[in-house]
Amino acid sequence: MKDRFCDYHEARTPEEKIAAVASVRGAKGWKSSIPTSARMSRGKKALKKHRLGVAAVNVNIKGEPEFVNGSSSVNSKKLRDKAVQFICEGMDVAAKLAADKVTCCP
């Protein structure tokens, strides 16, 4: 899976992404993505520094190559378990960041 950050920009750390969001007039929150932003200890400091909240934590259970045929409903217990693990990690990150929303696209 590719998106505009991977295709058109160099990879950015969560801290750099947060700073970019903070530069947008009127922005109040940042959306974290799991598993890519799971290491958020420095990101939490950046959120505080830029006075941003967390709009949501998005759990990407479609981005891994093995999820091409599905994740939470695929006919493979191993893959379903991996998707559930990602969702649980997302809920843990949301709790640490005081986010009240966890989203995914099953």
Side-chain angles (χ1 to χ4, degrees), residues 3-104:
D3 61 25
R4 64 189 176 106
F5 296 109
C6 296
D7 284 342
Y8 305 110
H9 300 284
E10 291 182 22
R12 296 180 182 178
T13 66
E15 297 89 340
E16 292 168 330
K17 291 177 185 179
I18 290 166
V21 169
S23 72
V24 176
R25 187 177 184 174
K28 296 180 182 172
W30 178 67
K31 181 191 74 144
S32 174
S33 295
I34 303 300
T36 57
S37 296
R39 299 172 302 278
M40 280 303 302
S41 60
R42 294 186 323 235
K44 191 171 181 178
K45 290 177 187 174
L47 288 167
K48 187 173 182 176
K49 173 184 173 185
H50 293 289
R51 297 181 181 161
L52 289 174
V54 178
V57 173
N58 177 262
V59 182
N60 186 353
I61 56 172
K62 64 185 184 319
E64 301 295 311
E66 61 263 33
F67 289 155
V68 70
N69 293 320
S71 56
S72 60
S73 62
V74 70
N75 191 18
S76 164
K77 182 173 177 3
K78 181 179 177 183
L79 292 178
R80 288 193 313 271
D81 288 348
K82 185 173 183 177
V84 169
Q85 177 189 347
F86 279 10
I87 293 168
C88 290
E89 288 173 13
M91 293 184 332
D92 291 343
V93 168
K96 289 177 185 174
L97 297 176
D100 64 352
K101 293 173 203 68
V102 176
T103 64
C104 67

